Amino acid sequence: MASFAPSPADVADIGVTGMAVMGSNLARNLARNGFKVAIHNRSVERTEKVIADHGSDGEFYPSESIDDFVASLQKPRVAIIMVKAGGPTDAVIDELAARMEPGDIIVDAGNALFTDTRRREEALRAKGLHFVGTGVSGGEEGALNGPSIMPGGTKESYDRLGPMFETIAANVDGAPCCTHVGADGAGHFVKMVHNGIEYADMQVISEAYDLMSKALGMSASEIGDVFAEWNTGDLESFLIEITADVLHQVDADTGKAFVDVILDQAAQKGTGAWTVQTALELGVPVTGIAEATFARSVSGSVPQREAARGVLPAKAEAPEIADRAAFIDDLQKALYAAKLVSYSQGFDEIAAGADHYGWDINLGDMARIWRGGCIIRARFLDRITEAYERNGDLALLLADEYFTREITECIPAWRRVVAYAATAGLPVPVFASTLSYYDSVRAERLPAALVQAQRDFFGAHTYRRVDADGTYHIEWTGDRSQTRQDG
Ligand code: NAP
């Protein structure tokens, strides 16, 4: 028997089922903003705890059963699911859908793979229901105090949901960090790429830290001071800010720098891998995100690292660093440049996804709704919005006049950092791969011509010429004559 009275019917503006940390915080955020919030959880204890601990946050309508939960919602009903991703989400969707009517809206605010969202949306659309997969970024703190919200689904569903989501989202300069992203899985797609960019951001910060530590022998706290200083300039962002904080943290047990007592194996929940897998399928070179994701995999490759440690020589001679301040300045510029490339690549993936799946995504708006609430919130996102405002058809973010100017200023420093790391035997996968991408994308001519010739040699895959239309093949094992293949 639940320790709360049954809720009345047709009363709540919105409902949330799944009262673990994210769902309860989202429900509290809605209630604090004046919405009447129905709440529910599979096991009633969590619902009771929300009412007991936070019942005074606003108007909650708790239900023990899913029947009562659905009945307590005003029509057209809006129910947010915030449960474990995967099978549990499907199970809860089925439970809700069986009790809802055409026109009602089911929202999945968990971290779903966008292809699952597309599948679920199609199935619910056939029943006349709206299904909205929405990205919610900012972790538990964001869910409570203002996340960045990325809803997909129909425009019609956004008419109903948008005003509530925009009220509870983070707000920067009077603009909510929420907008309708696009149809069906667009919201979860954009959230996925957001997380991929987050991987690259975190890795490139870690590479700068590693070089300060190993090349300059700086302590964690000294490096923390550098990040705190960087956070006052172009690099100002949540991740740089918390990096400074983490590096200043002292371990209570040992008195050592906290970062020095953490095992150097980074975990991952999968959104970085999804971003890379999807990019591979779409043919988008998100090299910074990919290297950041693989860097976590390398860190976790324990048997391989043990087999290599003390066995594989560095054969490296670290060049002398005569001017330490100049080296740190180079690192700052390299970090900024690598970050610009990672974002440019991420936006390429969103554009490619939009093109492939037929979503009308405003890229400038995506940068705008990431300015607050989310993990990659940063000062320079404004510049991305401005770039897409200047040219909505911008093929490459780096080619925008502002970003071209910014990255140009960083190039010599970026090259020095990557060259130093390679010579010293220090790994910088994102610094290096983004620089390599930069040099590839701006190249007049790439060695892909030779790859294409090789493909034609062993697989008759044909090639195109620089001086004529059509596709051609060479009789490599015969007289080596060229024949046109396309008519
Ligand atoms: P979680 O640990 O992922 O999931 C726990 C919740 O799922 C509980 O309410 C649990 O109910 C419910 N649940 C599990 N299996 C169920 C089933 N078969 N049927 C019904 N309910 C079931 O919770 P979370 O950390 O709050 O995250 C919720 C969602 O938000 C996830 O999709 C997560 O990926 C996403 N997300 C999380 C964060 C974060 O920072 N944590 C950030 C963004 C997005 P019981 O209490 O009955 O077990």
Side-chain angles (χ1 to χ4, degrees):
M1 189 66 183
S3 63
F4 46 77
S7 293
D10 297 318
V11 66
D13 298 310
I14 189 164
V16 183
T17 177
M19 286 292 111
V21 58
M22 289 297 287
S24 58
N25 279 359
L26 203 64
R28 291 176 60 199
N29 185 351
L30 284 158
R32 285 175 175 186
N33 278 286
F35 298 106
K36 298 174 191 160
V37 189
I39 60 171
H40 170 264
N41 193 70
R42 177 178 61 174
S43 44
V44 73
E45 294 75 22
R46 282 196 203 265
T47 312
E48 289 173 335
K49 192 161 165 41
V50 175
I51 296 300
D53 295 349
H54 307 291
S56 59
D57 274 0
E59 261 184 80
F60 290 110
Y61 293 92
S63 287
E64 182 170 1
S65 75
I66 196 92
D67 282 324
D68 291 346
F69 171 70
V70 173
S72 69
L73 299 170
Q74 282 177 42
K75 296 175 188 172
R77 305 178 182 91
V78 182
I80 301 178
I81 301 173
M82 234 345 179
V83 303
K84 208 174 265 307
T89 300
D90 276 315
V92 177
I93 290 171
D94 288 346
E95 285 182 320
L96 289 174
R99 292 160 176 82
M100 287 193 157
E101 292 168 309
D104 288 350
I105 303 169
I106 298 178
V107 183
D108 174 19
N111 264 340
L113 180 59
F114 75 97
T115 46
D116 285 340
T117 305
R118 283 170 57 79
R119 167 180 59 78
R120 291 164 177 157
E121 198 274 339
E122 195 182 344
L124 292 191
R125 193 170 358 115
K127 296 180 177 173
L129 297 170
H130 295 281
F131 181 70
V132 176
T134 186
V136 176
S137 177
E140 42 187 289
E141 207 275 332
L144 182 61
N145 295 316
S148 171
I149 311 181
M150 298 153 245
T154 56
K155 282 207 169 76
E156 209 181 330
S157 62
Y158 193 79
D159 289 342
R160 170 98 166 86
L161 272 177
M164 290 192 273
F165 278 2
E166 291 183 14
T167 305
I168 64 162
N171 195 293
V172 177
D173 302 333
C177 294
C178 174
T179 191
H180 181 230
V181 173
D184 56 76
H188 275 142
F189 186 96
V190 164
K191 171 64 167 40
M192 172 188 78
V193 175
H194 162 285
N195 285 25
I197 291 173
E198 181 184 309
Y199 273 54
D201 248 356
M202 293 168 73
Q203 173 64 23
V204 85
I205 287 172
S206 304
E207 290 174 16
Y209 150 77
D210 203 37
L211 286 176
M212 280 186 263
S213 168
K214 294 188 179 134
L216 298 178
M218 291 168 66
S219 70
S221 144
E222 287 169 335
I223 301 169
D225 292 343
V226 172
F227 278 105
E229 165 65 25
W230 289 355
N231 200 41
T232 62
D234 287 334
L235 286 174
E236 183 192 323
S237 61
F238 172 70
L239 282 170
I240 296 278
E241 182 191 327
I242 65 160
T243 300
D245 210 356
V246 165
L247 290 171
H248 285 130
Q249 176 78 9
V250 174
D251 177 51
D253 292 343
T254 60
K256 292 181 181 168
F258 174 64
V259 70
D260 292 338
V261 301
I262 298 180
L263 203 61
D264 62 345
Q265 294 166 24
Q268 47 187 314
K269 277 190 171 172
T271 43
W274 287 350
T275 311
V276 178
Q277 283 160 350
T278 304
L280 286 170
E281 279 159 22
L282 293 170
V284 186
V286 292
T287 58
I289 297 170
E291 284 295 346
T293 308
F294 283 128
R296 292 198 194 183
S297 306
V298 172
S299 78
S301 298
V302 176
Q304 290 77 7
R305 290 180 65 192
E306 275 170 9
R309 193 178 289 127
V311 174
L312 299 182
K315 288 278 182 192
E317 278 178 34
E320 200 196 328
I321 298 171
D323 186 338
R324 293 166 66 87
F327 186 80
I328 292 173
D329 192 46
D330 277 0
L331 284 176
Q332 182 181 12
K333 292 196 168 85
L335 200 167
Y336 189 42
K339 186 179 164 103
L340 294 182
V341 170
S342 302
Y343 278 70
S344 183
Q345 294 178 340
F347 276 87
D348 272 353
E349 182 165 352
I350 296 176
D355 195 38
H356 185 81
Y357 292 104
W359 298 320
D360 183 18
I361 299 181
N362 181 319
L363 298 177
D365 276 354
M366 297 308 104
R368 181 178 60 70
I369 65 170
W370 291 347
R371 292 184 311 162
C374 70
I375 306 297
I376 63 171
R377 57 187 184 260
R379 177 196 281 202
F380 93 125
L381 287 165
D382 274 335
R383 306 283 92 79
I384 297 183
T385 305
E386 286 160 13
Y388 286 114
E389 276 167 5
R390 270 191 288 278
N391 178 4
D393 297 324
L394 193 60
L396 178 74
L397 185 57
L398 294 175
D400 167 73
E401 59 193 56
Y402 174 82
F403 288 110
T404 301
R405 213 167 42 240
E406 291 287 289
I407 207 159
T408 303
E409 276 188 20
C410 298
I411 296 168
W414 194 12
R415 294 197 190 287
R416 281 193 294 272
V417 166
V418 172
Y420 173 88
T423 316
L426 295 171
V428 285
V430 176
F431 277 152
S433 64
T434 49
L435 178 58
S436 208
Y437 168 85
Y438 177 80
D439 282 328
S440 294
V441 80
R442 66 172 194 84
E444 205 58 56
R445 192 163 159 77
L446 290 168
L450 178 56
V451 171
Q452 198 55 23
Q454 291 164 336
R455 294 183 72 237
D456 189 57
F457 191 108
F458 65 70
H461 292 298
T462 75
Y463 57 89
R464 285 178 292 142
R465 299 183 57 96
V466 295
D467 53 1
D469 290 337
T471 54
Y472 300 87
H473 169 60
I474 294 254
E475 293 301 325
W476 292 101
T477 52
D479 64 359
R480 301 216 162 182
S481 60
Q482 172 180 275
T483 48
R484 189 164 174 169
Q485 301 291 303
D486 59 337

